[in-house]
Amino acid sequence: MVHAVSSVLTGEEGSSIYLLHAKYTNLVRVNLVLLKAFLEDKKRRGLMITIDRPHQYLSHLMQLHGVDQTNLVFVDAISLHSSDTKGGEVAPEFQMGPFHIETLPDFLMKHGDGGSSFQIDMSTIDFVVIDNVSTLLTYNSMESIKRFFQRYIEVLKGVKSRGIQTALVMDRDQHTELYEYIYGLSRKSIELGQDMLVKGVRVMGVQVPLPLKSVLDAPASVGGGADGLPILERK
Amino acid sequence: MANVAFPRIESGIPGLDEMIEGGFPFPSVILVAGSAGSGKTTFAQKFLFAGADKGEQGLFFSTLSEPAQWMLRYAAQFDFVKPEYYGKEVIYCDLGNLLRKCTAEELLAYIDQKVAEVMPQRIVIDPITVVGSMMKDDYRIFAFDLTTRLKNWQATTMLTGEVHPGEMYPAEMSYAVDGVILLMLSDEGDARRKYIEVLKMRGTNHLTGKQSVDITKKDGVIVLKARF
């Protein structure tokens, strides 16, 4: 499954948004697959913004499932409000988060100037994943979220010419308005079935043939293997 | 701020979802409390197997009430229990030996690790109350930390709780969880009748009051009005 998802994250020139539709019960799994695809399959450097749970959970999952985190930076927007005692590496906290999300893009840029306690150099970032974008609705109005995306896109345009790929996973059926808004911003949308296989790909709203058809049609296999995370693959 | 409905997952218990606006919140932690023989373990098993039928991963932690070996032997009588799911869609983990010697933090770390390995969408801990009686550390703090972690792992967890005579539900755990469901055996003349009551379900306009239930080979625990 990692290769299948990786094959649709083609990384066109310039910054772009990929929107993935998956059932809400699979969001964590899909995020894990995305991270593996970007970090290992494509050897990119990335930023993970956590809103739904403190970053230690994803970090733990990555460690357990053998996903190298060396080239991943976390920004945690929820820890301050989570009262969670789970241990792990400390990550920079977005102090305003998860509220006032429209201020996050400038927070990211401000912390690349060397003048604060931590640094995120956005010019070295190839991808961004948010866990998960639907949760923003719990803490922000739809208008705030739109302002966030508008500012986020402006910021990304100014960062680097190679571009930053932003991958967002959400359940279209749970949050239709937000999905449709992001769909309008995204270059590519990818539909994942309950079985976590890629069911459809649209580029700028137009359905395209699924790439690497033999890979996508191959049944998931039990146990470990080069293709994917053992626990996520099942006959 | 606009109202934001959160996702729900079906309980798998016929007749229950209609009482709780379509299912348990996802993620959440639900306490199912009842006396011996009220059907808690059967309830929990059905919750997991119903999820397995939908392709959802389940993880069952047994504590110190009944070893998995025997629990599964009795469970095999139910039609909804499909042995092909064992070890795959439904994974069993026995905490009994660990509980004899660990601290609260060690137990949390073990549960954390197991959940991270399996990545379940549905979790059962059966029963949770025995953990409290063995805990050297503060149980209330443990209950808080456990429920926080379980929800952050993005699963709906069912904790079963044994109640003692005169007790309605295990108090310390009831504050930490998102939902409390009571399974009751009522002595009525010559018979003991079974009932279910949703006492608490956060974020849900749930039905209140006792509803009759039965336990059948086909479906396990069912809310009787579901038959009509």
Side-chain angles (χ1 to χ4, degrees):
Chain A
M1 188 203 160
V2 176
H3 288 322
V5 169
S6 184
S7 68
V8 293
L9 301 173
T10 47
E12 296 87 340
E13 290 299 321
S15 294
S16 50
I17 293 177
Y18 295 95
L19 178 60
L20 294 91
H21 160 67
K23 193 163 177 214
Y24 56 86
T25 48
N26 284 330
L27 296 187
V28 173
R29 289 164 173 245
V30 175
N31 273 330
L32 194 58
V33 168
L34 272 176
L35 289 171
K36 188 170 173 78
F38 276 122
L39 289 167
E40 294 186 0
D41 217 52
K42 295 187 173 302
K43 308 275 188 275
R44 303 277 167 86
R45 180 171 166 74
L47 171 66
M48 182 84 200
I49 301 170
T50 60
I51 301 167
D52 213 2
R53 81 206 84 255
H55 69 283
Q56 294 95 317
Y57 288 86
L58 267 168
S59 180
H60 188 173
L61 278 177
M62 292 174 74
Q63 181 195 8
L64 195 67
H65 292 278
V67 183
D68 186 0
Q69 302 176 54
T70 309
N71 288 317
L72 185 68
V73 178
F74 284 98
V75 166
D76 195 319
I78 192 64
S79 274
L80 283 175
H81 304 281
S82 71
S83 296
D84 200 303
T85 57
K86 184 167 172 61
E89 292 273 341
V90 175
E93 290 172 349
F94 174 48
Q95 301 276 336
M96 296 292 285
F99 318 105
H100 306 296
I101 199 65
E102 68 271 22
T103 62
L104 178 62
D106 291 296
F107 169 86
L108 295 175
M109 292 309 292
K110 183 181 162 194
H111 287 82
D113 65 5
S116 56
S117 57
F118 70 89
Q119 289 192 32
I120 297 171
D121 186 353
M122 291 300 287
S123 68
T124 66
I125 297 294
D126 300 308
F127 72 88
V128 175
V129 176
I130 300 178
D131 174 39
N132 70 66
V133 69
S134 318
T135 311
L136 289 177
L137 284 167
T138 304
Y139 307 109
N140 299 272
S141 66
M142 193 64 200
E143 292 312 309
S144 287
I145 296 172
K146 287 180 180 176
R147 285 197 296 273
F148 160 72
F149 276 106
Q150 286 157 9
R151 183 63 189 138
Y152 180 75
I153 290 168
E154 277 171 14
V155 158
L156 290 197
K157 278 180 185 165
V159 170
K160 58 192 279 188
S161 58
R162 178 175 157 175
I164 296 176
Q165 313 308 314
T166 302
L168 304 172
V169 190
M170 58 182 300
D171 187 329
R172 175 184 58 216
D173 301 322
Q174 289 294 314
H175 303 290
T176 308
E177 187 188 357
L178 178 61
Y179 184 91
E180 285 176 0
Y181 174 73
I182 299 174
Y183 182 83
L185 301 175
S186 61
R187 176 182 290 273
K188 191 177 277 186
S189 67
I190 300 152
E191 177 160 348
L192 300 174
Q194 173 65 11
D195 53 10
M196 304 257 285
L197 293 177
V198 177
K199 298 293 183 200
V201 178
R202 285 179 178 269
V203 177
M204 304 297 281
V206 178
Q207 189 91 22
V208 296
L210 294 176
L212 298 176
K213 201 164 164 51
S214 59
V215 174
L216 295 168
D217 284 351
S221 56
V222 172
D227 186 51
L229 304 169
I231 201 64
L232 300 181
E233 311 284 3
R234 196 180 304 125
K235 272 203 183 85
Chain B
M1 201 178 295
N3 288 333
V4 179
F6 40 70
R8 292 178 184 275
I9 57 166
E10 293 169 9
S11 64
I13 310 298
L16 177 59
D17 291 347
E18 290 88 326
M19 296 170 65
I20 52 173
E21 285 197 274
F24 297 131
F26 183 87
S28 63
V29 180
I30 310 295
L31 174 66
V32 176
S35 57
S38 57
K40 301 184 295 297
T41 300
T42 304
F43 194 100
Q45 290 276 36
K46 182 70 194 304
F47 167 68
L48 286 193
F49 279 88
D53 285 341
K54 293 175 180 301
E56 291 169 10
Q57 180 69 54
L59 176 59
F60 190 110
F61 289 106
S62 55
T63 60
L64 281 168
S65 178
E66 187 178 22
Q69 168 195 2
W70 297 106
M71 186 256 302
L72 293 177
R73 201 175 279 217
Y74 291 120
Q77 66 172 307
F78 292 107
D79 294 343
F80 65 81
V81 171
K82 293 174 185 151
E84 59 266 31
Y85 288 157
Y86 289 156
K88 291 159 66 177
E89 286 84 354
V90 181
I91 290 177
Y92 290 90
C93 179
D94 196 331
L95 296 177
N97 284 337
L98 181 67
L99 276 170
R100 294 171 208 276
K101 52 191 179 195
C102 72
T103 62
E105 191 49 48
E106 287 165 346
L107 179 61
L108 280 174
Y110 183 83
I111 291 173
D112 248 3
Q113 186 71 0
K114 205 67 194 170
V115 171
E117 277 174 24
V118 174
M119 294 182 69
Q121 287 105 335
R122 297 181 184 228
I123 301 171
V124 166
I125 303 180
D126 177 42
I128 191 65
T129 33
V130 70
V131 175
S133 58
M134 298 193 68
M135 189 133 294
K136 302 184 221 50
D137 307 302
D138 191 306
Y139 185 50
R140 180 75 182 255
I141 293 175
F142 169 77
F144 178 82
D145 288 342
L146 176 68
T147 54
T148 301
R149 302 251 186 122
L150 290 170
K151 283 187 281 188
N152 275 329
W153 282 120
Q154 204 74 10
T156 287
T157 300
M158 184 171 289
L159 309 174
T160 68
E162 295 165 339
V163 299
H164 304 296
E167 183 185 41
M168 209 169 161
Y169 50 83
E172 300 95 333
M173 196 51 78
S174 68
Y175 295 112
V177 299
D178 301 298
V180 178
I181 294 176
L182 305 183
L183 294 175
M184 295 165 276
L185 286 172
S186 174
D187 191 354
E188 295 174 9
D190 295 335
R192 279 197 182 272
R193 299 195 192 283
K194 300 185 183 72
Y195 295 95
I196 188 170
E197 182 175 359
V198 179
L199 207 62
K200 167 183 172 183
M201 193 69 61
R202 285 193 181 127
T204 306
N205 186 17
H206 63 85
L207 196 66
T208 55
K210 293 195 300 194
Q211 309 293 325
S212 294
V213 298
D214 197 4
I215 299 178
T216 69
K217 239 183 94 165
K218 178 171 177 284
D219 290 310
V221 177
I222 64 167
V223 182
L224 281 176
K225 66 178 190 172
R227 282 183 174 165
F228 303 101

